[in-house]
Short mmCIF file of all heavy atoms in Angstrom, two decimals:
data_model
loop_
_atom_site.label_atom_id
_atom_site.label_comp_id
_atom_site.label_asym_id
_atom_site.label_seq_id
_atom_site.Cartn_x
_atom_site.Cartn_y
_atom_site.Cartn_z
N ARG A 723 50.82 78.11 -179.75
CA ARG A 723 52.18 77.94 -180.24
C ARG A 723 52.89 76.82 -179.52
O ARG A 723 52.78 76.67 -178.29
CB ARG A 723 52.98 79.23 -180.07
CG ARG A 723 52.64 80.32 -181.01
CD ARG A 723 53.61 81.49 -180.88
NE ARG A 723 55.00 81.05 -181.00
CZ ARG A 723 56.06 81.81 -180.71
NH1 ARG A 723 55.85 83.05 -180.29
NH2 ARG A 723 57.30 81.35 -180.82
N GLY A 724 53.68 76.04 -180.25
CA GLY A 724 54.51 75.01 -179.67
C GLY A 724 53.78 73.82 -179.13
O GLY A 724 52.52 73.71 -179.20
N VAL A 725 54.55 72.89 -178.61
CA VAL A 725 53.96 71.64 -178.05
C VAL A 725 53.12 71.96 -176.83
O VAL A 725 52.00 71.45 -176.67
CB VAL A 725 55.11 70.66 -177.72
CG1 VAL A 725 54.53 69.43 -177.02
CG2 VAL A 725 55.89 70.28 -178.96
N ALA A 741 61.63 64.81 -181.21
CA ALA A 741 61.01 66.14 -181.26
C ALA A 741 61.24 66.80 -182.62
O ALA A 741 60.37 67.57 -183.07
CB ALA A 741 61.61 67.00 -180.12
N TYR A 742 62.38 66.56 -183.30
CA TYR A 742 62.68 67.26 -184.52
C TYR A 742 61.83 66.76 -185.68
O TYR A 742 61.84 67.40 -186.75
CB TYR A 742 64.18 67.11 -184.86
CG TYR A 742 65.03 68.08 -184.08
CD1 TYR A 742 65.43 67.77 -182.76
CD2 TYR A 742 65.44 69.29 -184.60
CE1 TYR A 742 66.20 68.64 -182.00
CE2 TYR A 742 66.23 70.18 -183.87
CZ TYR A 742 66.57 69.85 -182.58
OH TYR A 742 67.35 70.74 -181.84
N ASP A 744 58.57 66.41 -185.35
CA ASP A 744 57.24 66.93 -185.07
C ASP A 744 57.17 68.43 -185.43
O ASP A 744 58.02 69.21 -184.99
CB ASP A 744 56.90 66.76 -183.57
CG ASP A 744 55.41 66.91 -183.32
OD1 ASP A 744 54.89 68.00 -183.54
OD2 ASP A 744 54.77 65.92 -182.92
N SER A 745 56.21 68.78 -186.25
CA SER A 745 56.14 70.16 -186.75
C SER A 745 55.78 71.15 -185.63
O SER A 745 56.01 72.36 -185.79
CB SER A 745 55.10 70.22 -187.88
OG SER A 745 53.82 69.82 -187.37
N ARG A 746 55.20 70.66 -184.54
CA ARG A 746 54.80 71.56 -183.46
C ARG A 746 55.97 71.97 -182.59
O ARG A 746 55.84 72.90 -181.77
CB ARG A 746 53.71 70.90 -182.59
CG ARG A 746 52.42 70.68 -183.35
CD ARG A 746 51.53 69.69 -182.62
NE ARG A 746 52.13 68.37 -182.60
CZ ARG A 746 51.44 67.26 -182.30
NH1 ARG A 746 50.17 67.34 -182.01
NH2 ARG A 746 52.04 66.06 -182.30
N PHE A 747 57.10 71.29 -182.69
CA PHE A 747 58.27 71.61 -181.87
C PHE A 747 58.95 72.86 -182.39
O PHE A 747 59.19 73.01 -183.60
CB PHE A 747 59.22 70.43 -181.87
CG PHE A 747 60.48 70.69 -181.13
CD1 PHE A 747 60.48 70.92 -179.76
CD2 PHE A 747 61.71 70.76 -181.79
CE1 PHE A 747 61.65 71.18 -179.05
CE2 PHE A 747 62.88 70.99 -181.11
CZ PHE A 747 62.84 71.21 -179.75
N ASN A 748 59.29 73.73 -181.46
CA ASN A 748 60.01 74.98 -181.80
C ASN A 748 61.51 74.77 -181.55
O ASN A 748 61.95 74.67 -180.44
CB ASN A 748 59.46 76.15 -180.93
CG ASN A 748 60.05 77.49 -181.28
OD1 ASN A 748 60.74 77.60 -182.33
ND2 ASN A 748 59.80 78.49 -180.48
N ARG A 749 62.28 74.74 -182.67
CA ARG A 749 63.70 74.50 -182.58
C ARG A 749 64.48 75.72 -182.14
O ARG A 749 65.70 75.59 -181.83
CB ARG A 749 64.25 74.03 -183.95
CG ARG A 749 63.47 72.82 -184.51
CD ARG A 749 64.14 72.36 -185.80
NE ARG A 749 63.37 71.27 -186.39
CZ ARG A 749 63.75 70.59 -187.48
NH1 ARG A 749 64.92 70.95 -188.08
NH2 ARG A 749 63.07 69.62 -187.96
N ASP A 750 63.89 76.86 -182.08
CA ASP A 750 64.61 78.08 -181.75
C ASP A 750 65.20 78.01 -180.34
O ASP A 750 66.29 78.56 -180.04
CB ASP A 750 63.74 79.33 -181.87
CG ASP A 750 63.29 79.54 -183.33
OD1 ASP A 750 63.97 79.02 -184.21
OD2 ASP A 750 62.24 80.22 -183.52
N VAL A 751 64.46 77.34 -179.44
CA VAL A 751 64.94 77.23 -178.08
C VAL A 751 66.26 76.48 -178.00
O VAL A 751 67.22 76.87 -177.31
CB VAL A 751 63.88 76.57 -177.19
CG1 VAL A 751 64.38 76.47 -175.77
CG2 VAL A 751 62.58 77.38 -177.24
N ASP A 752 66.34 75.37 -178.75
CA ASP A 752 67.58 74.58 -178.76
C ASP A 752 68.70 75.39 -179.40
O ASP A 752 69.88 75.28 -178.94
CB ASP A 752 67.38 73.28 -179.54
CG ASP A 752 66.61 72.27 -178.69
OD1 ASP A 752 66.20 72.63 -177.59
OD2 ASP A 752 66.43 71.13 -179.19
N LEU A 753 68.40 76.17 -180.42
CA LEU A 753 69.47 76.96 -181.06
C LEU A 753 70.02 78.01 -180.11
O LEU A 753 71.22 78.31 -180.15
CB LEU A 753 68.94 77.60 -182.35
CG LEU A 753 68.53 76.63 -183.48
CD1 LEU A 753 67.91 77.39 -184.63
CD2 LEU A 753 69.72 75.82 -183.93
N THR A 759 66.95 68.74 -177.78
CA THR A 759 65.75 68.07 -177.31
C THR A 759 65.51 66.81 -178.13
O THR A 759 65.46 66.92 -179.38
CB THR A 759 64.51 68.97 -177.38
OG1 THR A 759 64.76 70.14 -176.59
CG2 THR A 759 63.28 68.27 -176.87
#
Side-chain angles (χ1 to χ4, degrees):
R723 285 187 54 190
V725 175
Y742 280 82
D744 196 296
S745 60
R746 294 164 294 195
F747 175 66
N748 185 9
R749 305 184 183 185
D750 296 338
V751 178
D752 283 4
L753 294 177
T759 302

